[in-house]
Amino acid sequence: MKKQCMLIAILISCSTGSRAQEDRFFEKNPENLMPVGAYYYPEHWNENQWERDIRRMAELGFSFTHFAEFAWARIEPEEGRFDFTWLDRNIELADKYGLKVILCTPSPAPPAWLTQKHPEVLLENEDGMQQQHGSRLFINSSNATYMKYVERVIIEMAKRYGNDARIRGWQIDNEPHFGTLYDYSQTAETGFRNWLKQKYNDINTLNNAWGAAFWSNTYNTFEQIRIPNAKRAPQGANPHALLDFRRYTADALASAIRHQNEILRRHISGQQWVTTNYAYYKFLPSVDLFRNRGDYDFASHTMYLLSTALNYPEGKLSHRLGSGMELSFSNELAKSVHGYTGIMELQPGQINWGKYNSQPYPGAVRMWIWHCFGLNDRFVCTYRFRQPIDGGEHYHKGIMETDGVTLARGGEEFVRAIDEIKGLHQQYTLPIQEPQALKSRKTAFLWKQDNLLEMELVPHTTHWDTWQHIYTYYQKLKTLGAPVRFMTEDEAVTPQEYPFLVAPCFNMISEANVKQWRKYAEDGGHLILTCRTGQKNNDGHLHETLLQQPIWDLIGAEITDNDQLPPERPAQVQYVGQKYAWHIWGEWLKPRKGTEVWAHYASEFYKNTPAVISRKVGKGTVTYIGVWTDDGKLEQQIIRKVYQQVGAEILSLPDYVFVEWRDGFWVAVNYSSEAFDLPLETQPLIGRKTLEPGKVTVWK
């Protein structure tokens, strides 16, 4: 208990420190509430175009630019010989035209001389194929040899620019991850064994944690262990070994970021911030923002809304408007690490790497920028200022067209949004108080990366998608207009700050989790848990109890079994006379005295068995949703009931219409394909009360 209290105190201290850092790094300027910048790659262009381009960037209203993330070969063209003359010149030009600079460490793309000399730094995929030079993210960033070279180039950069007032901050790496997702090289295998030795200390402890008696998987020494590889395990690799390998990979990636951060800290001014830009959490399972919480100043994020691999609303314009839900999710997850964030890469138009690359709907780019503003991003940076004419992304639109002088359609929308946001200073008034309605619906969203890693290894049904389950709840919370903060299990959640706590499919739990949840509810919080919660311990083993028994007392019901169905044969669940289809997961609940039944199954041999229950616990409530419906509409109705019955002032928004509050301004954006009438009692400052697809409305 003493250790837990100390941890909570540290987290509170970090939170207070983060707010002070935010004020220092991003001093609020009413005339430029959200600075907008653009990536620029001087190494791609003729030297005689540099000044023209940077001058034009400033003329268009941009506030900063971004250099050097993939420029290692230009910075260190030969081993030990550094050339900063070109970078010096561009920093001078940026300063001449009033632009601040973000510098990036060049680690994601090493020069050819390095990989030729040290092929051991290259990644190896699960088929045993070593990656080759000529791409990016093809190296293991935690390889000791590679880290020495990274350290040298960062020291040279930081010694030169670390106390330069023109440099606003540093980005570590770029979208840090392994290009193969996981590395199967000797570097990784040695690292994995060392990680296991440190975690388990002795081989018998590991054997127990891995359930190694099954299929005679028992090891005698750590040296016998190889990286678990599903491609080389015809009957399936040990899921507990796979979980630990994924944990190791997440730790290794976090360690590489930490290493770069430590180097920078030794050489840069305290006025320069450090971040790294995360992207596509769903597709990079080993990337965990919270593992580096104690390192950089804040987490930034990246989003390409038309990548075709995201979750989109239904409707004829979805391929042109993009996934506002994933932009919102990306922002609120990154913001939750330290309390503030900025978007480091936001596409300015058509991209080049989707399944198809549709043009954005007129107004969509402007809408994305305004959505970032509403989500309280401290800055927006677009990738990129000029569309390249060669290389791997030469169909990727920029602010400027391929001639370098013509403003692209997306560039025009960036300029318009920049001007509109700067114009808000005319309506900016102090003091700014957070609206009571917003406070009443603030929501904490419990986040545990290890649960994601484990559940994707053992989904139990091929239709189970942990990310989609999480998205179902997140999206429905946004239809209420709820601000969401993601919180880890080590953080103290208080009902006074967050009246609602949602923990979707929190599969691996400990006794401490249940105690914390109970206290939250007893103190007046309203807890929402969903199916599959509490099935396993933190080793990924089923509890040696009856199914999910550790949470029975908390939810006020026994969970007797579960069912999954073929998608072509969905069953029904009924709530207040309405039936909802489901097939992925349904649990059979047996309520205890005092527990209310809110929904029950309306078909199958367990017809009338409860599926959703709720009970009072102390001053608060605990609601358990034991079924995952096919369209998420039941979940939306249950969430609305929980919020409404305790008096939260919620909105009633369609999916993919978002309303956010920031700096005294309300911002509404519409990613759906249908118009929506906003319930406004005041005249908008920007836009109309009827919010058309791809449009923005701003009011006070």
Side-chain angles (χ1 to χ4, degrees), residues 116-189:
Q116 181 185 34
K117 182 177 180 180
H118 296 287
E120 70 272 17
V121 307
L122 297 169
L123 294 171
E124 187 175 306
N125 69 12
E126 60 188 351
D127 293 316
M129 182 180 294
Q130 188 179 65
Q131 306 305 288
Q132 65 180 19
H133 191 91
S135 182
R136 65 168 183 149
L137 297 166
F138 54 87
I139 40 79
N140 187 319
S141 54
S142 59
N143 176 278
T145 299
Y146 188 68
M147 291 173 79
K148 289 179 182 178
Y149 282 97
V150 168
E151 181 169 358
R152 186 173 67 181
V153 71
I154 292 177
I155 288 173
E156 291 295 325
M157 292 180 71
K159 284 167 60 178
R160 194 175 191 91
Y161 304 114
N163 289 282
D164 190 328
R166 299 170 299 181
I167 309 304
R168 197 72 190 91
W170 296 77
Q171 175 190 308
I172 293 173
D173 207 83
N174 174 261
E175 300 175 2
H177 65 280
F178 294 149
T180 52
L181 294 188
Y182 295 97
D183 182 24
Y184 296 82
S185 69
Q186 189 58 54
T187 292
E189 190 152 279

Side-chain angles (χ1 to χ4, degrees), residues 387-550:
Q387 179 173 344
I389 57 175
D390 52 23
E393 295 182 344
H394 57 274
Y395 278 114
H396 192 298
K397 283 287 189 180
I399 296 296
M400 311 302 292
E401 295 284 11
T402 48
D403 62 359
V405 296
T406 303
L407 192 61
R409 184 166 63 87
E412 292 174 353
E413 294 192 22
F414 257 87
V415 172
R416 180 181 174 186
I418 290 170
D419 290 343
E420 289 173 334
I421 291 169
K422 288 181 177 179
L424 287 180
H425 76 275
Q426 299 172 6
Q427 303 292 332
Y428 183 83
T429 55
L430 293 173
I432 298 171
Q433 294 185 341
E434 188 176 45
Q436 182 55 42
L438 202 67
K439 291 181 181 179
S440 77
R441 55 183 186 255
K442 273 189 165 181
T443 303
F445 201 101
L446 205 56
W447 185 260
K448 183 174 180 175
Q449 190 83 10
D450 283 13
N451 269 328
L452 285 162
L453 298 179
E454 198 279 335
M455 293 190 76
E456 293 303 286
L457 289 170
V458 192
H460 194 46
T461 162
T462 58
H463 287 263
W464 177 268
D465 182 335
T466 308
W467 275 99
Q468 191 58 48
H469 187 79
I470 290 171
Y471 284 167
T472 295
Y473 281 88
Y474 180 81
Q475 173 60 31
K476 299 313 177 185
L477 288 169
K478 300 311 289 186
T479 67
L480 312 183
V484 174
R485 181 183 170 189
F486 294 86
M487 303 187 77
T488 61
E489 59 187 334
D490 294 329
E491 294 182 80
V493 186
T494 63
Q496 292 71 32
E497 188 173 8
Y498 297 99
F500 303 95
L501 172 61
V502 180
C505 57
F506 211 80
N507 192 40
M508 295 192 299
I509 66 166
S510 65
E511 185 179 341
N513 293 130
V514 179
K515 287 182 178 179
Q516 187 180 37
W517 293 343
R518 180 180 293 279
K519 184 177 188 314
Y520 170 79
E522 288 174 343
D523 289 347
H526 304 284
L527 172 66
I528 299 175
L529 301 174
T530 82
C531 59
R532 300 192 73 163
T533 294
Q535 289 191 330
K536 298 183 178 182
N537 64 21
N538 284 318
D539 286 324
H541 300 184
L542 294 171
H543 295 284
E544 196 171 356
T545 63
L546 293 176
L547 186 66
Q548 293 165 268
Q549 191 169 354

